[in-house]
Amino acid sequence: MNMLGLSYILIINFLTSHCEEQYCSIDSTEHCTEKKEDNLYNKVSNEQYIKYYNAIEEAEKSYKACNNTNNGCFKHVIKRDLKPFKEKGISKDLINIAKSRGTFYQIIRGKLYRQKECMFPSRCVGVEYFLLKLAPELSDIDLVINVRDYPQSSKHFGGPLPIFSFSKTPQYYDITYPAWAFWEGGPAISLYPRGLGRWDELRASLNEASKNTPWENKENRAFFRGSRTSAERDNLILLSRRKPNLVDAQYTKNQAWKSDEDTLYAPPASEVPLEKHCKYKYLFNYRGVAASFRHKHLFLCQSLVFHVGDEWTEFYYDAMLPWIHYIPVSKDANQTVLEELIQFAIDNDELSKRIAMRGRDFVWNNLKMWNVTQFWKKLLKKYSKLLTYKTSLDKDLVKIEREERP
């Protein structure tokens, strides 16, 4: 029997044994009354948690760690996203329609070319790092890469278009690629004026921060800092104002901030470096306009991640499982639900630690820069086989050269 099954039986035994009427002498009736109240509280508390124990037990029963040799953890994403184009292929006409919704690239004879203008230059640089690295190994192809936050090929408006996007919901056909922010072009805030920075460097920095604050030394509170890009975040902020000993969650400014109304009628909080998130045991991840850029970073703190919502995904999300690598939270969770989930994590420290460590190990072991490059490689090679025409160089494009960087 595994430890979770044993824990469950112990809880049931605890509840059963404490439901029995206990003998109390006349002299000790006051003490007995207090005990009965304590037992009633424990019974209600543990009955409340049974749904979470069951969810964890069910998840662990069927869990098998993915094997990321040869991109095993993420290959289903490539298969899923290219499936709409498998029957008829990708024609030149489809590419021409898609061009208006993204940045047009070509790889010709191992060289990379791009349309002259890019809406977000630093994001294009982040994409081009991987394309330049792989271009000599790829056949000639045309690519339309969306560097906006939002996907472009809706299933509710027309057929599938071959547009690459970093994040999407099941309502879009877009082909998922690893976000530019793995190299450059992450969200720029006052702490990171040029964006979050390279993933390989942040991995090392966050790993060091997690070592400096091991689980046992972390502050026993939930934590969140971010701007109000979605009202889904409001209930955690409001819970923090009611119960600051349980949650430290505050809104910061963003570029659209005009007044305290944009931070739920409170002065905006200071931004907090990612490394300092690691001092807390419980970290909340909310989507922004699309998927959240902070997601992968939080896991490396070796803290327990509460991941809110399940619609918006990046290429690696589906390989991370609820109750195995993180605690899932409904995007509509009210303050009562949020408080109960956080209290569950606090009251079950060993379970919380186990989930936190599995989440950390998944990101640490399967999201190295090598894994990201391999995903790009597999994706583009399979994509190239779907083109139904021979690509020729568009003379209006500019050649992209590799930047010399450490």
Side-chain angles (χ1 to χ4, degrees):
M1 181 181 296
N2 62 31
M3 288 299 293
L4 187 58
L6 181 59
S7 298
Y8 182 77
I9 288 171
L10 289 173
I11 290 165
I12 298 301
N13 289 341
F14 174 86
L15 294 176
T16 304
S17 64
H18 284 72
C19 283
E20 297 174 0
E21 190 68 32
Q22 296 183 25
Y23 172 78
C24 295
S25 69
I26 294 176
D27 295 333
S28 61
T29 51
E30 184 179 346
H31 172 69
C32 282
T33 301
E34 289 175 0
K35 266 192 105 166
K36 284 183 181 178
E37 288 175 355
D38 288 344
N39 293 337
L40 179 62
Y41 173 80
N42 287 332
K43 178 181 177 182
V44 171
S45 175
N46 283 291
E47 283 181 337
Q48 201 173 26
Y49 293 160
I50 283 175
K51 60 189 173 187
Y52 302 134
Y53 295 128
N54 286 342
I56 295 170
E57 185 172 29
E58 193 61 31
E60 290 189 338
K61 189 190 304 179
S62 57
Y63 173 60
K64 185 178 179 182
C66 64
N67 181 355
N68 212 23
T69 305
N70 200 29
N71 199 49
C73 290
F74 314 126
K75 63 182 180 183
H76 69 284
V77 177
I78 296 174
K79 184 177 180 181
R80 177 200 71 196
D81 287 355
L82 295 181
K83 186 178 179 181
F85 307 100
K86 192 169 184 181
E87 186 178 341
K88 295 182 179 179
I90 297 171
S91 66
K92 184 69 173 175
D93 286 342
L94 279 181
I95 292 290
N96 286 335
I97 295 169
K99 279 181 182 179
S100 64
R101 306 191 194 183
T103 303
F104 181 56
Y105 285 92
Q106 287 188 315
I107 292 175
I108 305 289
R109 294 185 294 279
K111 306 296 182 184
L112 179 65
Y113 301 86
R114 190 200 72 213
Q115 67 181 61
K116 292 177 182 177
E117 300 299 325
C118 170
M119 182 177 290
F120 299 101
S122 62
R123 294 183 179 189
C124 283
V125 169
V127 168
E128 289 158 11
Y129 168 78
F130 295 100
L131 297 183
L132 285 165
K133 196 178 186 72
L134 294 170
E137 304 176 53
L138 298 173
S139 55
D140 293 354
I141 51 175
D142 291 341
L143 295 161
V144 178
I145 298 181
N146 170 34
V147 291
R148 301 180 182 94
D149 290 328
Y150 219 74
Q152 298 295 307
S153 182
S154 172
K155 291 182 179 180
H156 301 293
F157 302 99
L161 291 174
I163 301 171
F164 289 74
S165 292
F166 93 97
S167 169
K168 68 174 184 176
T169 75
Q171 305 307 312
Y172 290 86
Y173 289 115
D174 297 53
I175 301 165
T176 314
Y177 71 90
W180 52 84
F182 279 100
W183 183 254
E184 191 168 322
I189 59 177
S190 62
L191 291 173
Y192 307 100
R194 298 187 60 189
L196 287 178
R198 285 168 38 175
W199 171 237
D200 53 343
E201 295 175 346
L202 272 170
R203 272 170 56 93
S205 177
L206 286 165
N207 188 53
E208 192 62 31
S210 72
K211 288 179 181 177
N212 291 336
T213 314
W215 180 264
E216 292 72 20
N217 296 342
K218 291 180 185 289
E219 192 169 327
N220 211 25
R221 285 198 293 170
F223 182 78
F224 173 79
R225 282 292 183 281
S227 61
R228 197 179 179 220
T229 52
S230 167
E232 291 172 15
R233 306 173 174 193
D234 287 356
N235 278 325
L236 188 71
I237 303 299
L238 295 172
L239 176 61
S240 175
R241 293 176 188 176
R242 284 200 305 111
K243 298 207 169 181
N245 291 333
L246 189 72
V247 191
D248 179 357
Q250 299 179 58
Y251 278 138
T252 59
K253 282 185 179 182
N254 63 15
Q255 293 173 338
W257 187 88
K258 296 182 177 67
S259 69
D260 288 349
E261 182 179 353
D262 296 324
T263 46
L264 277 189
Y265 303 98
S270 300
E271 293 157 344
V272 176
L274 285 165
E275 289 82 358
K276 291 194 175 178
H277 285 53
C278 297
K279 67 180 281 193
Y280 297 90
K281 273 191 179 179
Y282 317 109
L283 300 175
F284 269 78
N285 179 70
Y286 285 90
R287 73 173 181 90
V289 177
S292 165
F293 284 102
R294 84 184 75 220
H295 180 270
K296 57 185 175 290
H297 301 88
L298 300 183
F299 287 94
L300 293 187
C301 277
Q302 298 190 41
S303 300
L304 177 60
V305 174
F306 288 78
H307 179 53
V308 183
D310 59 3
E311 284 191 316
W312 289 94
T313 60
E314 293 188 60
F315 82 96
Y316 65 91
Y317 277 31
D318 288 350
M320 300 191 74
L321 304 175
W323 302 111
I324 295 293
H325 301 110
Y326 61 88
I327 287 186
V329 183
S330 168
K331 66 179 183 178
D332 301 315
N334 60 28
Q335 293 181 52
T336 301
V337 172
L338 293 171
E339 181 178 353
E340 181 182 296
L341 278 168
I342 297 166
Q343 195 62 53
F344 166 75
I346 292 171
D347 292 345
N348 293 271
D349 193 66
E350 284 303 313
L351 270 179
S352 296
K353 181 179 179 182
R354 184 159 81 230
I355 297 171
M357 294 309 130
R358 275 197 302 244
R360 179 267 176 194
D361 288 348
F362 180 92
V363 171
W364 183 256
N365 294 328
N366 299 307
L367 271 186
K368 303 182 178 82
M369 289 293 276
W370 182 87
N371 301 118
V372 177
T373 304
Q374 285 303 301
F375 184 90
W376 266 111
K377 181 178 178 180
K378 299 280 183 186
L379 174 62
L380 294 179
K381 285 200 166 187
K382 289 188 179 296
Y383 166 86
S384 68
K385 293 176 182 177
L386 295 172
L387 296 181
T388 60
Y389 63 96
K390 184 174 175 59
T391 301
S392 58
L393 181 62
D394 183 333
K395 302 294 186 182
D396 291 330
L397 303 189
V398 295
K399 185 178 178 183
I400 305 299
E401 303 285 358
R402 184 184 298 276
E403 286 187 18
E404 293 301 323
R405 293 180 62 175

